[in-house]
Amino acid sequence: MTPTELETQINAWLAPERFSDYAPNGLQLDSDRPVRTLVSGVTANQALIDAAVDAGADALLVHHGWFWKGESQTLTGLKGRRVRTMLEAGISLLAYHLPLDAHPQLGNNAELARLMGWRSDAPLNPEGIGNLGSCDPISGADMAAALALKLGQAPLWIDARRPIHRLGWCTGAAQSYFQSAIDQGVDAFVTGEISEPMVHLAREAGVHYFAAGHHATERYGVQALGRRLAEQCGLAHQFIEIASPV
């Protein structure tokens, strides 16, 4: 299939037009080469691009692409090198940000819940990004241990010293949703990152806060989307992990 046909198929599933995003969703770089081999990864950094070239990719599918609001619009320096590498290799780039967070089957939040065994029963916010739900009653220490086991790194945990049954979660940099989760009665909130004010909010609200890693919580949606494309479009698919501690 062509890169444009691949974009059309993904758009039919993820409906990016529904979101007011910080970045363009869809094709960010196209090529004349038909897509037979697809590589997926979290962020379109140079290491992932080089690995995609070595893997013989025709297209690279990521959650974090190249173009973000507030950044320079010039293709120079590191960004210019990334673009040149992909142009020379004839690889297309597709990136999906909020649409891939929100999808109820393929999204990062849905996949995190599946991985952790959490039950989702409502969206965390009106745009459908993040979830409210429940888990079997568990202590904060056991939740921290479960996250470390499943995600491969220990979360930063603010302990509320209460059992956890009701929880909210939103992958990546979603600490701005913490107050909404508190207002909706959670015992714990799981996201990727934490800032200094959130520590005090968690302590004073008596709600557990788990900063489990931006990268670590957002590995899974792009893999699910890649598998779906492989199954339904007859593509070869490979997820390539470029580790990040954040």
Side-chain angles (χ1 to χ4, degrees), residues 170-221:
C170 190
T171 63
Q175 56 192 317
S176 62
Y177 298 158
F178 184 33
Q179 184 64 62
S180 176
I182 293 169
D183 293 343
Q184 295 178 82
V186 302
D187 304 309
F189 181 67
V190 181
T191 187
E193 301 180 9
I194 188 169
S195 65
E196 197 269 349
M198 297 301 108
V199 174
H200 306 296
L201 180 57
R203 288 172 175 168
E204 293 172 30
V207 173
H208 296 273
Y209 191 114
F210 298 92
H214 192 137
H215 177 90
T217 58
E218 294 197 326
R219 291 188 188 107
Y220 306 103

Side-chain angles (χ1 to χ4, degrees), residues 19 24 30 39 53 57-58 60 78 89 92 96 106 112 120 123 132 140 144 196 203 210 220 223 227 238 246:
F19 298 88
D30 65 1
V39 164
V53 172
D58 302 310
L60 177 60
L78 297 177
S92 299
Y96 289 88
L106 303 173
L112 181 63
S120 176
L132 296 167
E196 197 269 349
R203 288 172 175 168
F210 298 92
Y220 306 103
Q223 294 184 62
R227 289 193 298 268
Q238 177 186 357
V246 176

Side-chain angles (χ1 to χ4, degrees), residues 19 39 46 52 68 70 72 77 101 116 121 123 126 141 152 168 180 190 210 231:
F19 298 88
V39 164
Q46 190 66 47
W68 300 91
S72 170
D101 289 321
M116 298 302 302
D121 55 34
S180 176
V190 181
F210 298 92
E231 293 165 1

